[in-house]
Amino acid sequence: MCTCCSDSKKPSFIVTLWAFMLCFIVRSPAQGKVVVIGSNLPIIAAPGDDVILPCHLEPTFDVQGLTVEWSKPDLKPDPSDRLSRVEYVHLYRDRQEVPDMKMASYFRRTELFMDDMKHGNISLKILNVSEEDNGRYRCFIPKLRSRVKAAVVELVVDPNNTKNLTTDRPLHPQILQTPNPQDTTPRNTGRSRVSVVVVIFAFISVVAVAAFAPCFSDRVNKQPEDDETQR
């Protein structure tokens, strides 16, 4: 009888190892694989336009329960006032907008796409833009477990630009949004993840073969002995 096959610990060990690796693969987006992506191309609009500053997460990740901050990173607090602070263009916290910490010039002019946040869309819509809205905008998720928590989008309001039609929903990320080299990781994260899965699968297969190889070896060696006994 093959003692290694009768030992229930080895099969249970393999099953446990498979379950652990499966949990690792499924949970990996929440463990640092998710990145925030904006646009490395400026968003150009005419005065009076309603614009959308694109920003989303890849892979798709539900951010409805997280804090989302939109700000203008080039604005600095008043150095003469130690209690001064830079207010937000838009602040989303506890599943709702927080208008008390918003810049007065953006009051009732900004909104997120609430229904799309469960798919990782944190694009910001700004109504009736003017030249005063020119500049860089930063979307930031402070509690996101990732090394890329923010992205920057630049808005250019040009009075010589033809007025655009208002859009009520953001364009598809694959069309408008590309990574900002300063704020995002390369787009081959999907390939890297596939490579990791392949390596893990190969490792588990080797462990499984190594664990059960003695069983097959014993059976092969035992077969000639049985044949001689029968003779």
Side-chain angles (χ1 to χ4, degrees), residues 86-138:
V86 175
E87 297 176 314
Y88 299 98
V89 173
H90 191 98
L91 176 62
Y92 172 90
R93 180 184 294 164
D94 297 329
R95 298 180 180 270
Q96 61 183 352
E97 181 184 356
V98 183
D100 294 342
M101 301 180 66
K102 192 173 186 177
M103 296 172 63
S105 59
Y106 291 95
F107 186 67
R108 292 184 178 178
R109 292 180 53 222
T110 63
E111 58 186 48
L112 297 176
F113 296 87
M114 307 294 286
D115 294 337
D116 292 337
M117 293 184 69
K118 60 185 177 183
H119 302 302
N121 180 17
I122 54 174
S123 300
L124 181 70
K125 183 175 181 179
I126 304 179
L127 306 177
N128 191 27
V129 296
S130 66
E131 293 184 68
E132 295 180 355
D133 297 324
N134 277 324
R136 299 195 309 153
Y137 292 77
R138 179 175 182 253

Side-chain angles (χ1 to χ4, degrees), residues 19-29 31 33 196 200:
F20 173 79
M21 293 301 181
L22 181 61
C23 290
F24 171 80
I25 295 170
V26 172
R27 291 179 58 85
S28 59
Q31 302 296 325
K33 295 297 183 181
V196 171
I200 292 174

Side-chain angles (χ1 to χ4, degrees), residues 33-54:
K33 295 297 183 181
V34 178
V35 296
V36 178
I37 297 178
S39 175
N40 60 354
L41 298 176
I43 306 303
I44 302 176
D49 280 346
D50 297 344
V51 302
I52 295 170
L53 304 183

